Amino acid sequence: MQSGLNTGLQISMLASGSTGNATFIQSAQRKILVDAGLSGKKVIELLQSIGVDANELDAIFVTHEHTDHIKGVGVLARKFHLPVYANEGTWQAMEHSLGKIQDKEIFEMGKTMTFGDIDIESFGVSHDAAAPQFYRFHKDQKSFVMLTDTGYCSDAMRGIIKNADAYLMESNHDLEMLRMGSYPWPLKQRILGDYGHLSNDDGADVMQEVLGDKTKRIYLGHLSRENNLKEIAHLTMENNLREHDLGVDYDFKVYDTDPEEATPLFSL
Ligand SMILES: [Zn+2]
Ligand SMILES: [Zn+2]
């Protein structure tokens, strides 16, 4: 697909949500997955739905060891002989659940590595996993930031993710729905805490501060099935940005993701 393109990145959120996460990123030289938190079979189908053959994949990058991020990693790595990249803490935490992996690669938190024609910058986040890290992908002055699974966004993180062309930004829960919902109190506390997830309001607050003149696309990610609705997440983001006089719909657009359906491949 798009084989004539020599520049830029093409991206699809294959699936996003508390039930499973996977993102596909390709350049002229590389095709990668970030996380594969659904069955291997489902990830292969999602790739097919955007016209990508899983045989063409070059690697899987893992953010952290939670099941909604690694469920299909072992199966896919074995089936397609893929190297798997994660930091050392994450490797220790997930190794037993992945099964045998031929090519284990260490990608240390805070480091930038060059993978083919893509520069990949990793940064730590605040989440109840061993050593969770997310990524900013750079290619030809364009960049894509992924940030979900974090209880808050520190000033240092805000600095790292500033003014990207596109974002996958966490909008995990609506505060009211979570408070009124059926989750037991300890689980509510976990989600709301510093090592939990960004609420719709938190995600909007981060975006209004970090977006810049390059920013064209904001994808709302990792929505909770129980404690959120696409419409509420979408409105919360747009209303917050409009209140700050930011150009929703003309400078940039807000997009939904889905737990079971890939977003159309877009180019940066
Ligand atoms: Zn998650
Ligand atoms: Zn997680």
Side-chain angles (χ1 to χ4, degrees):
M1 172 168 274
Q2 318 230 11
S3 52
L5 283 173
N6 293 317
T7 58
L9 298 170
Q10 286 85 48
I11 299 159
S12 166
M13 275 34 92
L14 297 175
S16 184
S18 306
T19 49
N21 297 276
T23 297
F24 172 73
I25 300 169
Q26 74 173 5
S27 63
Q29 295 178 15
R30 291 290 185 274
K31 291 181 167 62
I32 63 183
L33 286 178
V34 180
D35 293 335
L38 307 97
S39 71
K41 184 169 172 272
K42 181 72 187 169
V43 174
I44 292 166
E45 285 170 14
L46 288 164
L47 286 165
Q48 277 167 354
S49 77
I50 55 162
V52 175
D53 183 343
N55 277 302
E56 298 166 19
L57 289 171
D58 295 297
I60 305 175
F61 290 78
V62 174
T63 61
H64 64 297
E65 72 276 17
H66 288 161
T67 310
D68 61 319
H69 297 262
I70 65 162
K71 190 175 177 189
V73 169
V75 169
L76 292 168
R78 282 185 288 278
K79 192 169 167 71
F80 301 108
H81 311 287
L82 300 173
V84 177
Y85 289 82
N87 64 37
E88 227 164 326
T90 299
W91 267 120
Q92 279 169 19
M94 72 178 176
E95 217 160 355
H96 63 282
S97 41
L98 286 192
K100 192 163 172 48
I101 302 288
Q102 283 286 341
D103 190 353
K104 292 181 210 162
E105 300 288 340
I106 302 284
F107 186 178
E108 270 182 72
M109 187 185 290
K111 291 278 186 322
T112 297
M113 67 168 275
T114 300
F115 189 66
D117 53 355
I118 310 175
D119 289 323
I120 308 175
E121 188 179 0
S122 70
F123 56 94
V125 301
S126 178
H127 190 55
D128 54 357
Q133 68 184 15
F134 274 81
Y135 302 104
R136 180 169 184 159
F137 297 84
H138 300 264
K139 169 97 168 72
D140 305 328
Q141 320 303 324
K142 305 271 188 176
S143 66
F144 169 57
V145 163
M146 294 178 64
L147 177 57
T148 66
D149 298 81
T150 192
Y152 69 94
C153 187
S154 67
D155 287 345
M157 285 157 69
R158 287 172 202 242
I160 292 167
I161 67 174
K162 258 194 177 336
N163 199 13
D165 297 81
Y167 289 89
L168 172 65
M169 177 58 62
E170 175 154 59
S171 291
N172 180 261
H173 54 277
D174 174 69
L175 283 169
E176 226 27 53
M177 285 180 75
L178 179 66
R179 284 204 189 102
M180 305 301 289
S182 65
Y183 278 14
W185 178 237
L187 182 54
K188 289 185 185 182
Q189 275 179 309
R190 189 220 132 199
I191 294 168
L192 290 167
D194 278 353
Y195 296 95
H197 292 276
L198 296 180
S199 69
N200 293 341
D201 292 305
D202 295 334
D205 170 70
V206 173
M207 271 319 312
Q208 64 93 2
E209 196 181 319
V210 301
L211 67 74
D213 56 351
K214 288 184 155 192
T215 307
K216 293 285 177 284
R217 289 167 181 265
I218 301 164
Y219 286 81
L220 304 174
H222 213 296
L223 271 66
S224 162
R225 188 163 276 199
E226 288 270 326
N227 303 307
N228 212 350
L229 291 169
K230 280 184 190 174
E231 294 73 17
I232 294 179
H234 206 105
L235 273 179
T236 306
M237 179 64 78
E238 291 199 343
N239 288 344
N240 185 305
L241 297 178
R242 284 207 182 93
E243 273 166 30
H244 290 86
D245 282 332
L246 294 163
V248 178
D249 285 338
Y250 47 99
D251 291 332
F252 56 83
K253 255 189 104 159
V254 178
Y255 297 86
D256 298 324
T257 62
D258 191 271
E260 288 169 39
E261 217 176 298
T263 63
L265 208 58
F266 70 89
S267 296
L268 288 185

